[in-house]
Amino acid sequence: MEKPVNRARLVKAPEHFISQELIADINANGLDESRRGFLRKGFMSAVGGAAAGLVAPMAFAAGDGDPAILEKQEWQTTLGKNVATMPYGVPSIYEANLIRRESPGLTRVSASSVAFTPLQGLFGTITPNGLHFERHHQGWYNLNPETHRLMVNGMVKNARVFTMNDLMRLPSVSRTHFIECGANTGLEWGNVAVPTVQYTHGMLSCCEFTGVPLKVLLEECGADLKKGKFLLAEGGDGSGMTRTINLESCLDDTIVAWSMNGEMLRPENGFPLRLVVPGVQGVSWVKWLRRLEVGDMPWNTKDEAVHYIELMPDGMHRQYASIQECKSVITTPSGGQQLLDKGFYNVSGMAWSGRGKIKRVDVSFDGGNNWRTARLETPVLTKSITRFNIDWVWDGSPAILQSRAVDDTGYIQPSIKVLRDVRGNRSIYHNNAIQSWKLDSNGEVSNVQVG
Amino acid sequence: MYKLDKLIARFVIAFLAALSAQLACAQNTQGSVKFPGVGRNATPAEEMAWDIDVRPDFKGLPKGSGSVEQGQAIWESKCASCHGVFGESNEIFTPIAGGTTADDVKTGRVASLGDRKQPQRTTLMKVPTVSTLWDYIYRAMPWNAPRSLTPDDTYALVAFILSLGEIVPDDFVLSNTNIADVQKKMPNRNGMTRNHGFWSVNGKPDVNGSSCMTNCVKFVQIGSTLPDFARDAHGNIAEQNRLYGPYRGSDSTKPPLDKLPGSTGEGLAHAADTHVATTKGPAALFKSENCSACHAPNAKLVGPSIADIAAKYKGQGGAQERLMAKVKNGGSGVWGAIPMPPQSQLSDEDRATLVHWVLTGQ
């Protein structure tokens, strides 16, 4: 016979093991030795699933061991979700904090604005497609690839029209390159302006792009590349974004691309077609590309005559400043981050150059007085992001972290002072200065400028 | 007999060759050298429809004309809501006019770019070529309805902008025949240089860093930090970092911690504290539909504040319907000279949600 259940006996719910006051106290202040004294194994077990975010990072109570090991977890004891529950996967719910973000107050209207890549949380060199930075001039659309056309005209034998079906039949290349907005870090020309690396350097991404080399397409149309030294790239969005491309400098590695990291371009990044101009500022990588015109002079379009020009101290504007010079930044740790404790850390960051490959990255922990050479992760590709790492044992005293990249032309990333001495502080574009992060003894990292 | 056969065969081959050439023509594949069957030639009409760019030598400029006066009328109805009646707005976009002088028109260099006496850099202070204004206005303006202006509208608007900068007189009529003369009066026509190393990948850099490795500086001086009041300006940084791993985000809603948290993470922001459910309510819609470009909660920007609108319509029957119609069709004269452009992109449902929110706060 089955033993009757004693229904009369009241079992105390696990959350009643501790008082409401202590729950509030732990929520507000976390767990420490004195608070932990109140906790029982049963409590840890009962709240383990629901309060994972609260309990999991804590050290375990002295005794038998870590509840994360001793107790069975929900995912060990129940049936998980089916395959294809999420047919196009999304990151873990625990990654929800790492998203593209706008800088409050930077622009009034979000259709003509920037959303920054969360560099502080990325690894390696490739930017996940959902996190690739956005910059639009008149809002984005989901263009219909069936009706999208690319026209090639100007100084060509035959002005020609290509559908996406046409283009994707052509011999393609896949190459990994960084794209950086010319205004990246521009907020910091005058002084420190934003707290984290997402906002100081987040108009930067790096992807594998696939498409047909521009040269193949131009030759196919019979382009006069002797007289036609310039290319107008035009977008299919409302702004009809137009940029002059320097064919002498960019013809060999420019790609008319439809793919980013193995999938089609995302709409925010120019689906179904964009120009990829390695080493050159992002505005020239025209999105929703619909027309390429070969010509014998620059066009002086709005975004190369009113914006994306550098104001020099004598009031002269540098026009067509296109190349993104050698630059690097430490991403972990970086501004706005908090270290838990002293001890060993892998300090890591990104380095890139619009003129070629990264040759070396040096890291300083004392504000630029002494430098050590970091490890470069392979592959080291041209006009691409290179990841660097360096070992560091933090003794708990204040420190200022900097990185300094050198490319294979021998160019060394300059300090902000060296840049300002030549270019003043009223420019917006092409700030490739050494970034300084100050680490305080409380473990908090903040954005500072040295010198 | 044999010869005749051969002759016929020859004719047939010639006929077939001609036919296939014609077919090729019909498919517009001529010109394809390496990749037959891929792409086709553009028709003249297609080229005309898309090739609208105007270069500094005015190649591509369509014939037409427009006066300052005509330009002013178009400006006030289609442009002023974003750019200000006198092109002075810095609320939404940077100012168009201001900062240039009659002297600049003579020298072709805008003095205020060098003397720092002008707080804002306006379009007319920067733009070296009038073709640039023409090209951009024609291709991309008005901002919410690009490609809706005629060439004559565009001439008129460019004339009006130039008159704001006193580059042309108030009674000027700009046309394709006199635009090159206007070009010679642009205040910053000599203010651009390509004499730098950033146009080409082989260009020469203007600065270079130091390769010093040890004892490089006498003392380290921090020249600039983020002020304390800006700690929270970008929201809670704890919510913008992983909640696990060695590098957490600082809880920027609170002052910095007194001491290192240690491995227990004491004092750190917790998931429960920082994760707020993101609801896509009317407030988010108000921002995503760019209503917030012109309307602030409590302050007058280009348009009236939300509070002012709510106060004006308080207790009025049919306010919801009347405002919904206004948002759809645009309006003018109620809150000042600047009209509200019609918001035809909004769905009826979104319009109802937004108006309800403006009127009731819910």
Side-chain angles (χ1 to χ4, degrees):
Chain A
M1 239 183 116
E2 218 174 315
K3 202 182 168 189
V5 178
N6 184 355
R7 294 182 194 281
R9 196 177 133 249
L10 280 174
V11 179
K12 213 176 182 186
E15 63 267 31
H16 291 154
F17 275 106
I18 54 173
S19 70
Q20 287 300 320
E21 289 75 32
L22 184 56
I23 291 172
D25 185 34
I26 291 169
N27 276 334
N29 303 307
L31 288 167
D32 62 14
E33 285 307 317
S34 70
R35 292 181 187 97
R36 197 172 296 115
F38 291 98
L39 297 175
R40 287 178 173 77
K41 203 175 140 209
F43 162 70
M44 297 299 273
S45 157
V47 299
L54 171 66
V55 176
M58 309 304 163
F60 54 85
D64 296 342
D66 186 351
I69 297 169
L70 297 178
E71 302 299 330
K72 290 172 183 149
Q73 308 291 332
E74 188 197 358
W75 41 91
Q76 295 173 302
T77 55
T78 52
L79 181 62
K81 290 185 172 63
N82 292 335
V83 298
T85 300
M86 286 189 276
Y88 208 138
V90 294
S92 159
I93 54 168
Y94 297 105
E95 289 292 277
N97 284 351
L98 294 161
I99 54 174
R100 290 191 285 236
R101 291 174 192 273
E102 287 182 77
S103 178
L106 185 61
T107 58
R108 194 91 219 189
V109 284
S110 289
S112 178
S113 191
V114 177
F116 298 83
T117 294
L119 301 179
Q120 70 276 15
L122 299 189
F123 305 97
T125 59
I126 298 293
T127 310
N129 284 342
L131 297 179
H132 190 296
F133 79 91
E134 291 177 81
R135 200 281 186 247
H136 315 311
H137 294 80
Q138 213 150 356
W140 64 269
Y141 270 100
N142 229 326
L143 266 63
N144 181 348
E146 275 297 337
T147 55
H148 190 70
R149 305 285 181 265
L150 176 70
M151 184 185 287
V152 182
N153 73 332
M155 298 171 74
V156 296
K157 229 175 238 152
N158 298 297
R160 288 180 72 74
V161 174
F162 300 91
T163 62
M164 289 307 295
N165 303 345
D166 288 326
L167 293 169
M168 291 164 77
R169 283 165 70 176
L170 293 172
S172 65
V173 293
S174 297
R175 298 209 182 105
T176 303
H177 291 295
F178 77 84
I179 170 172
E180 182 182 23
C181 176
N184 200 26
T185 327
L187 292 165
E188 308 253 314
W189 260 114
N191 48 265
V192 166
V194 289
T196 73
V197 73
Q198 178 156 19
Y199 306 109
T200 57
H201 290 75
M203 285 193 274
L204 169 76
S205 295
C206 184
C207 298
E208 185 193 64
F209 294 95
T210 299
V212 56
L214 172 69
K215 198 173 187 172
V216 168
L217 211 52
L218 291 186
E219 280 170 358
E220 175 68 5
C221 299
D224 179 355
L225 296 176
K226 286 224 171 74
K227 286 187 192 138
K229 297 288 183 204
F230 304 93
L231 184 77
L232 184 76
E234 183 180 88
D237 60 326
S239 78
M241 167 53 76
T242 34
R243 278 295 301 196
T244 300
I245 311 293
N246 176 2
L247 278 180
E248 271 180 315
S249 175
C250 308
L251 184 61
D252 284 341
D253 55 5
T254 299
I255 306 168
V256 176
W258 52 79
S259 167
M260 188 163 91
N261 292 335
E263 64 176 19
M264 285 298 285
L265 290 161
R266 296 279 173 103
E268 313 92 283
N269 302 117
F271 176 88
L273 203 64
R274 86 172 303 167
L275 204 61
V276 167
V277 196
V280 170
Q281 60 184 358
V283 66
S284 293
W285 299 39
V286 172
K287 298 197 290 283
W288 314 291
L289 182 72
R290 74 164 196 184
R291 196 167 67 90
L292 295 167
E293 182 175 349
V294 180
D296 55 6
M297 66 182 287
W299 275 262
N300 220 42
T301 69
K302 188 266 272 177
D303 282 287
E304 51 199 28
V306 178
H307 308 298
Y308 302 93
I309 47 174
E310 289 185 82
L311 182 61
M312 301 300 283
D314 65 353
M316 188 65 99
H317 279 115
R318 279 184 179 168
Q319 198 177 8
Y320 301 109
S322 302
I323 304 297
Q324 297 293 104
E325 295 201 290
C326 186
K327 186 167 171 181
S328 71
V329 65
I330 295 171
T331 52
T332 49
S334 58
Q337 288 190 328
Q338 169 78 52
L339 272 58
L340 299 183
D341 213 342
K342 294 181 265 193
F344 180 86
Y345 285 91
N346 182 50
V347 170
S348 186
M350 301 166 165
W352 62 99
S353 168
R355 289 209 166 95
K357 286 181 186 171
I358 291 299
K359 198 169 95 188
R360 205 179 79 228
V361 177
D362 300 323
V363 173
S364 170
F365 296 95
D366 58 7
N369 195 31
N370 296 289
W371 297 82
R372 282 199 287 139
T373 299
R375 299 186 300 274
L376 300 187
E377 267 185 47
T378 55
V380 178
L381 300 170
T382 185
K383 300 173 190 176
S384 178
I385 283 178
T386 297
R387 173 65 63 172
F388 66 86
N389 291 295
I390 189 165
D391 297 346
W392 189 44
V393 178
W394 182 41
D395 63 3
S397 52
I400 296 175
L401 281 66
Q402 301 179 330
S403 68
R404 176 180 77 185
V406 184
D407 70 17
D408 59 3
T409 70
Y411 176 86
I412 305 162
Q413 186 183 0
S415 68
I416 185 75
K417 185 184 179 302
V418 167
L419 271 179
R420 285 204 194 110
D421 284 349
V422 174
R423 298 189 207 162
N425 61 3
R426 291 190 302 155
S427 200
I428 297 168
Y429 306 96
H430 299 278
N431 178 359
N432 67 323
I434 290 171
Q435 172 69 44
S436 305
W437 304 119
K438 179 164 169 275
L439 172 58
D440 281 322
S441 49
N442 65 353
E444 186 165 294
V445 186
S446 59
N447 183 8
V448 299
Q449 285 185 356
V450 169
Chain B
M1 202 58 199
Y2 170 70
K3 267 187 183 172
L4 189 64
D5 274 350
K6 218 174 165 184
L7 200 65
I8 288 169
R10 217 177 270 168
F11 270 125
V12 168
I13 287 166
F15 177 71
L16 282 178
L19 191 71
S20 72
Q22 262 182 335
L23 277 175
C25 240
Q27 287 170 347
N28 261 327
T29 52
Q30 82 268 35
S32 175
V33 184
K34 222 172 163 184
F35 309 107
V38 177
R40 61 170 177 83
N41 282 0
T43 70
E46 286 173 337
E47 255 201 286
M48 224 164 85
W50 272 16
D51 191 355
I52 61 165
D53 59 77
V54 178
R55 300 200 310 194
D57 62 354
F58 302 108
K59 182 173 171 280
L61 184 73
K63 281 182 186 158
S65 67
S67 69
V68 171
E69 201 184 343
Q70 289 162 337
Q72 184 169 4
I74 303 168
W75 181 270
E76 281 169 10
S77 66
K78 293 186 173 173
C79 318
S81 57
C82 283
H83 293 294
V85 174
F86 301 103
E88 80 289 4
S89 173
N90 61 0
E91 284 288 357
I92 298 177
F93 294 112
T94 47
I96 302 278
T100 60
T101 65
D103 251 11
D104 299 340
V105 170
K106 280 182 211 148
T107 60
R109 286 289 304 276
V110 171
S112 58
L113 287 171
D115 65 18
R116 293 170 167 249
K117 282 179 184 155
Q118 186 71 13
Q120 272 267 9
R121 273 172 269 166
T122 71
T123 298
L124 285 185
M125 284 165 70
K126 292 188 282 187
V127 65
T129 42
V130 71
S131 61
T132 307
L133 292 175
W134 205 100
D135 178 89
Y136 189 67
I137 292 168
Y138 186 61
R139 81 168 47 243
M141 288 292 117
W143 196 64
N144 59 345
R147 307 279 162 99
S148 61
L149 298 169
T150 66
D152 285 350
D153 290 345
T154 309
Y155 279 107
L157 283 170
V158 173
F160 175 68
I161 290 171
L162 294 171
S163 79
L164 288 177
E166 297 176 336
I167 298 160
V168 301
D170 291 348
D171 58 357
F172 193 74
V173 179
L174 182 71
S175 72
N176 57 299
T177 54
N178 66 11
I179 196 167
D181 296 328
V182 174
Q183 171 68 58
K184 292 171 196 154
K185 293 163 76 180
M186 291 300 280
N188 202 38
R189 62 185 177 275
N190 301 322
M192 299 275 174
T193 178
R194 265 168 66 193
N195 185 24
H196 58 72
F198 305 98
W199 170 237
S200 162
V201 73
N202 301 318
K204 192 176 177 305
D206 57 349
V207 295
N208 211 342
S210 155
S211 58
C212 174
M213 294 299 282
T214 49
N215 295 322
C216 303
V217 287
K218 278 204 180 102
F219 53 88
V220 174
Q221 190 183 2
I222 292 176
S224 174
T225 58
L226 204 63
D228 287 342
F229 66 80
R231 180 170 171 80
D232 198 13
H234 281 70
N236 187 354
I237 304 300
E239 293 172 3
Q240 305 178 20
N241 279 270
R242 285 196 175 82
L243 291 163
Y244 57 94
Y247 304 109
R248 312 290 177 85
S250 304
D251 186 344
S252 53
T253 64
K254 295 177 185 144
L257 302 175
D258 292 333
K259 58 182 178 63
L260 263 180
S263 57
T264 58
E266 186 190 353
L268 285 192
H270 299 308
D273 302 336
T274 57
H275 268 300
V276 186
T278 46
T279 48
K280 264 266 173 192
L285 195 63
F286 196 77
K287 182 169 186 292
S288 68
E289 291 298 331
N290 287 313
C291 312
S292 57
C294 296
H295 302 282
N298 292 302
K300 187 187 182 317
L301 294 178
V302 175
S305 73
I306 297 169
D308 284 347
I309 300 170
K312 187 182 172 85
Y313 288 90
K314 194 169 182 185
Q316 290 185 24
Q320 169 86 17
E321 287 70 29
R322 272 189 294 146
L323 261 191
M324 276 180 68
K326 250 187 197 174
V327 172
K328 184 173 187 174
N329 304 319
S332 68
V334 180
W335 298 95
I338 293 178
M340 165 148 167
Q343 304 297 322
S344 48
Q345 83 284 5
L346 287 173
S347 70
D348 288 350
E349 194 190 329
D350 284 351
R351 222 154 27 90
T353 306
L354 284 166
V355 169
H356 186 76
W357 180 71
V358 165
L359 290 174
T360 67
Q362 285 158 5

